Amino acid sequence: EADAIIMVHGAQMANSIFTVEGTMFVELGCRVFEFLGSKNYLNLIGGKYTMVQLCWRGETSEKDFCLDCTQEKDFTYSNFTMAQKTFDKILDDIVIAIDS
């Protein structure tokens, strides 16, 4: 049992079907195709969801809630970094969501 799961976007997200009701999911990826965040799917599993995606022009993870991606063309499989501030906000949001 997990209250929250933070993971990189990918096929492993399909395992979310086996989680307990109320689990909070945070999906990280430069480009995220929102399967897990579908309202119908979240209603089915009783989960909560947020995603963190690539920083757009003018944004950086130092000041914005986003990821700094390394590739310029195919963001689907790009590596990324994030500022400590972004990671701290993810954790803070999880605690708030679990407590509410």
Side-chain angles (χ1 to χ4, degrees):
E1 284 186 33
D3 291 328
I5 298 173
I6 303 171
M7 69 173 77
V8 176
H9 172 76
Q12 70 278 2
M13 299 295 272
N15 291 317
S16 60
I17 194 74
F18 301 109
T19 59
V20 297
E21 187 172 335
T23 300
M24 173 71 186
F25 298 93
V26 179
E27 186 171 13
L28 307 172
C30 294
R31 178 162 297 151
V32 174
F33 304 99
E34 202 173 313
F35 157 72
L36 187 58
S38 157
K39 288 184 182 195
N40 290 336
Y41 185 71
L42 288 174
N43 286 335
L44 174 70
I45 64 171
K48 300 173 187 171
Y49 174 83
T50 190
M51 75 171 83
V52 183
Q53 296 191 80
L54 87 136
C55 301
W56 296 102
R57 291 189 183 127
E59 295 180 326
T60 66
S61 66
E62 286 296 326
K63 64 177 184 152
D64 299 296
F65 188 63
C66 58
L67 304 173
D68 296 310
C69 299
T70 57
Q71 289 180 274
E72 294 184 16
K73 292 186 179 181
D74 183 12
F75 291 116
T76 304
Y77 301 107
S78 179
N79 294 322
F80 60 83
T81 60
M82 74 176 87
Q84 183 67 46
K85 175 183 155 191
T86 299
F87 186 69
D88 292 343
K89 180 166 180 10
I90 290 170
L91 296 179
D92 290 345
D93 289 351
I94 288 170
V95 170
I96 290 168
I98 290 171
D99 287 345
S100 63

